Amino acid sequence: MDKFSDMALFISIVKHQGLAAAGRELGLSPATVTARLQALEERYGVKLLNRSTRHLSLTDSGALYHQACLGIIENVKETENLLQNGVKEVKGTLKIAAPKDIGKQYILPILSAFTDRYPDIVPYLYLNDNLSNIAESGIDVVIRYGDLTDSNLILRRLAPSRRVLCASPEYLARKGTPVKPQDLSHHDCLAMLRSNEELKTWHFQDQEGRNSVTVTPKRFSDDGEVIRCWALEGAGIALKSLLDVQNDINQQRLVTVLNGYMKNFNSSTTVSSADLNVVYISRQYQPKRLRLFLDFLFEQFEKQLEH
């Protein structure tokens, strides 16, 4: 069996998270898929997948091979289009993951404008507040806040940001305005959940140093957009990215408090830890549609932030 077919098979296995499902897509029996995967691992002398009865994950070697396979298959498709049509067409899928607030307010209109320009691109927009495993999920671009630890990925800053505490004018009129972080113990706070962890310890820094406050939230959600909606309803004080609530602040639907402090969900209170970033797999040869989208994304974000 040729190496190109093995690459397509491996991509299918990772995409479907299973050998049987990959076999169904490619018209192969489970036994054939298993034998070809074993032969592939024997050929290179490395284990590509960790497999159990319920779960499949890439090894480090498997992630490297999967990344290379994606790039090679994409380059072959672009070459075929070039030979058949005489031009390098911009077509195919584009998979993007972003937090709901940013996704709906910023990414959605940018993506609509991009697909108007390139109608043969089929976008997939996943709205969530967690960083997906890009290598296994098939996501092309993840837009997220904060830093990155995976050295196999590329991170570029899309926009500077910072955390702010905010509440509706109605809430502050009813409950009063906190003047120091410790005052939050007397307020209704709205807290995020991240991988089932309650982010209720908020960190502050000013000229006198750092301190942390553990609040007693009245409401929790793993969805940043829900936290913002609750704040707009007057349910309490939220710790949000400024980008998420900038329009609400401009329209005076929300008011920021404790403005003399730098704030964050973790002990790192640097501004960079709250910046909005673009994350994608490092590839020597990026698909043309991905290169064009990244250029368009940065261009449009720069224009939006100027206003």
Side-chain angles (χ1 to χ4, degrees), residues 70-208:
L70 290 172
I72 291 169
I73 295 292
E74 185 63 40
N75 286 334
V76 169
K77 289 180 179 178
E78 288 192 356
T79 301
E80 288 176 340
N81 287 331
L82 181 60
L83 292 174
Q84 292 169 0
N85 302 296
V87 294
K88 197 171 184 180
E89 291 185 344
V90 182
K91 60 189 302 184
T93 61
L94 184 64
K95 297 184 177 182
I96 304 159
K100 280 192 176 180
D101 273 330
I102 287 295
K104 290 184 178 181
Q105 295 186 65
Y106 295 89
I107 305 305
L108 183 58
I110 290 175
L111 188 56
S112 295
F114 182 73
T115 50
D116 284 343
R117 180 177 296 185
Y118 302 105
D120 290 329
I121 290 180
V122 179
Y124 291 68
L125 180 58
Y126 302 88
L127 298 178
N128 59 69
D129 285 283
N130 298 310
L131 175 63
S132 302
N133 186 322
I134 303 180
E136 296 189 21
S137 67
I139 299 293
D140 295 304
V141 176
V142 173
I143 295 166
R144 59 159 289 177
Y145 289 109
D147 301 322
L148 181 68
T149 58
D150 190 340
S151 60
N152 293 318
L153 302 176
I154 299 296
L155 181 145
R156 292 173 59 190
R157 190 176 77 166
L158 183 58
S161 189
R162 56 188 172 87
R163 308 286 183 188
V164 295
L165 281 174
C166 56
S168 70
E170 294 76 17
Y171 171 84
L172 296 175
R174 186 174 73 252
K175 301 283 288 191
T177 301
V179 296
K180 58 184 184 298
Q182 290 73 18
D183 293 342
L184 294 173
S185 60
H186 306 297
H187 279 269
D188 300 337
C189 294
L190 311 171
M192 283 288 297
L193 294 169
R194 183 178 297 159
S195 300
N196 295 320
E197 177 189 1
E198 298 178 352
L199 302 184
K200 58 185 180 180
T201 299
W202 296 350
H203 303 271
F204 299 84
Q205 179 178 336
D206 63 2
Q207 294 179 346
E208 297 181 0

Side-chain angles (χ1 to χ4, degrees), residues 208-251:
E208 297 181 0
R210 299 184 180 187
N211 62 88
S212 302
V213 174
T214 299
V215 299
T216 304
K218 293 294 183 179
R219 303 184 186 186
F220 289 95
S221 179
D222 64 350
D223 187 330
E225 185 184 30
V226 170
I227 298 291
R228 172 172 162 262
C229 289
W230 282 341
L232 289 168
E233 292 171 2
I237 297 177
L239 180 55
K240 292 287 295 175
S241 165
L242 178 60
L243 285 174
D244 288 344
V245 294
Q246 186 66 72
N247 291 334
D248 300 314
I249 293 169
N250 293 344
Q251 299 298 320

Side-chain angles (χ1 to χ4, degrees), residues 38-98:
Q38 291 174 346
L40 186 60
E41 291 179 325
E42 290 173 2
R43 180 194 303 160
Y44 296 114
V46 295
K47 188 176 183 180
L48 298 174
L49 294 171
N50 294 311
R51 285 183 286 161
S52 67
T53 55
R54 295 185 177 180
H55 184 65
L56 179 151
S57 63
L58 289 166
T59 64
D60 290 342
S61 296
L64 181 64
Y65 181 68
H66 180 250
Q67 175 185 332
C69 289
L70 290 172
I72 291 169
I73 295 292
E74 185 63 40
N75 286 334
V76 169
K77 289 180 179 178
E78 288 192 356
T79 301
E80 288 176 340
N81 287 331
L82 181 60
L83 292 174
Q84 292 169 0
N85 302 296
V87 294
K88 197 171 184 180
E89 291 185 344
V90 182
K91 60 189 302 184
T93 61
L94 184 64
K95 297 184 177 182
I96 304 159

